[in-house]
Amino acid sequence: METTETFESLVRAEFAPVGTFLNTASNGLLPARAVTALYEAALLRAQGQPLTALWDDVEACRAAFARLAGVPVERVALGASVAAHSGVIAASLPSGAEVLTAEDDFASVPNPFHVRGDLKVRAVPVERIAESVRPGTALVAVSAAQSADGKVADLPALREAARAHGARTYVDYSQAAGWLPMEAGEWDFTASVSYKWLLGPHGVAFLVVPEDFGGLTPLLASWVAGERPWESCYGPVTELAHSARRFDLSPALFCYPALRRSLELIEELGVSAIHAHDIALADRYRAGLAALGHEALPAPGSAIVSVPGLGSRQPELGRAGIEVSDRAGNLRAAFHLYNTEADVDRLLDALDG
């Protein structure tokens, strides 16, 4: 684990936001090393040089995410969006299967199950999702941390309930990977985008599947899903990859050199240290809100804090150089490794004005 001094020096060397950026739940900042890598990758294309090295970045990102997720690299597939991964999982279910979801979860998780039209999709408050698993529930699909208010699902309770009733599980870590320790091996399927807390560009989303692939069919498979991709460019792919790579989509190559450097930074800092840093700032903000007479929506242990009734203040805060979000009338702030106590205090001072 990094010392506090090393943590701060690494962060200062990589980030220089203009103003106060408290909006990682929308998209994270790119570290300097990722910006450099992105530029160098674009330069290869501009100069007509071979892009071979970028494929090495693809595999380095797969391996880095596997380490963060705590699973063998053979279980990690690469795509472009959580919605696409959800769609593949939805397609694997038999007609009439019951899918349990959280009310008002981000649409990329529940919507692919709804559009099937022949599944029984049931939504309950995220606080009740574990107790709502019942005999006949085929799959539970939920975000580890809710986008709207940051509420963290009771994942240990959900795991036990799913096992007790024989339900499969699908956890979206998009609002958690990078600050909340992951245990992807505890679930049948997990997914995460890279452009939020993992500090990468848009265009990459990870999928973790069981060793036996969990009954999924690689519906979106192209040549990269072949065991020997460069021999699978024409006609049907005769041999799918023996690993989760059979679920890969053709990669947005420029994303991966940048994401590789971002994931390296997260590993250097350590998710445990990032978690402690982020939660300390979120708790400082909650205490400051209470002193001002505002009550945040309950989301203990979360790096995301939403305050009812203050969403309308987002435009004025933006004009003041403080980046936050308005989500359904709630003012949402998200605290990550590049934020400081001064950032928290600046937002509190602005809300007190």
Side-chain angles (χ1 to χ4, degrees), residues 80-325:
S81 72
V82 166
H85 295 323
S86 297
V88 171
I89 296 169
S92 73
L93 297 174
S95 181
E98 179 182 278
V99 181
L100 179 63
T101 64
E103 289 180 354
D104 299 320
D105 207 340
F106 196 78
S108 296
V109 178
N111 198 55
F113 299 98
H114 281 276
V115 299
R116 267 278 305 260
D118 62 345
L119 300 176
K120 299 175 183 177
V121 185
R122 186 163 56 100
V124 299
V126 69
E127 304 94 326
R128 292 177 43 210
I129 199 157
E131 67 186 62
S132 299
V133 183
R134 62 190 183 188
T137 300
L139 178 76
V140 185
V142 66
S143 294
Q146 294 293 299
S147 172
D149 58 15
K151 195 167 293 176
V152 178
D154 187 345
L155 295 178
L158 172 59
R159 179 178 59 233
E160 295 309 311
R163 286 175 177 171
H165 293 289
R168 289 193 165 185
T169 49
Y170 171 38
V171 179
D172 175 19
Y173 277 92
S174 293
Q175 292 290 6
W179 70 267
L180 187 70
M182 296 178 65
E183 293 180 309
E186 297 296 323
W187 316 105
D188 293 289
F189 313 104
T190 64
S192 178
V193 296
S194 69
Y195 65 87
K196 297 179 185 291
W197 308 86
L198 294 176
L199 311 176
H202 288 69
V204 180
F206 298 97
L207 173 67
V208 178
V209 302
E211 291 181 0
D212 64 359
F213 309 134
L216 300 187
T217 299
L219 297 173
L220 307 179
S222 69
W223 67 282
V224 296
E227 177 63 16
R228 291 173 293 279
W230 296 103
E231 298 176 19
S232 303
C233 295
Y234 305 106
V237 177
T238 57
E239 184 180 7
L240 289 168
H242 303 163
S243 68
R245 194 168 52 73
R246 63 173 51 198
F247 301 103
D248 276 16
L249 302 185
S250 296
L253 275 181
F254 286 176
C255 296
Y256 288 90
L259 178 58
R260 178 178 186 173
R261 276 67 188 182
S262 295
L263 295 176
E264 286 173 353
L265 176 62
I266 289 173
E267 288 195 273
E268 287 174 35
L269 295 171
V271 172
S272 294
I274 295 171
H275 177 268
H277 176 88
D278 293 4
I279 298 305
L281 294 179
D283 288 346
R284 181 184 183 91
Y285 180 51
R286 290 188 181 94
L289 286 168
L292 295 177
H294 301 297
E295 185 175 356
L297 293 172
S302 180
I304 302 171
V305 183
S306 290
V307 189
L310 293 184
S312 61
R313 299 196 61 179
Q314 184 270 331
E316 70 177 80
L317 291 168
R319 289 191 293 271
I322 303 173
E323 289 298 320
V324 289
S325 292

Side-chain angles (χ1 to χ4, degrees), residues 36-46 51 54 57 253-255 257-258:
T36 298
L38 191 58
Y39 171 77
E40 291 174 347
L43 197 60
L44 290 177
R45 178 75 174 274
L51 303 181
L54 305 189
D57 294 321
L253 275 181
F254 286 176
C255 296

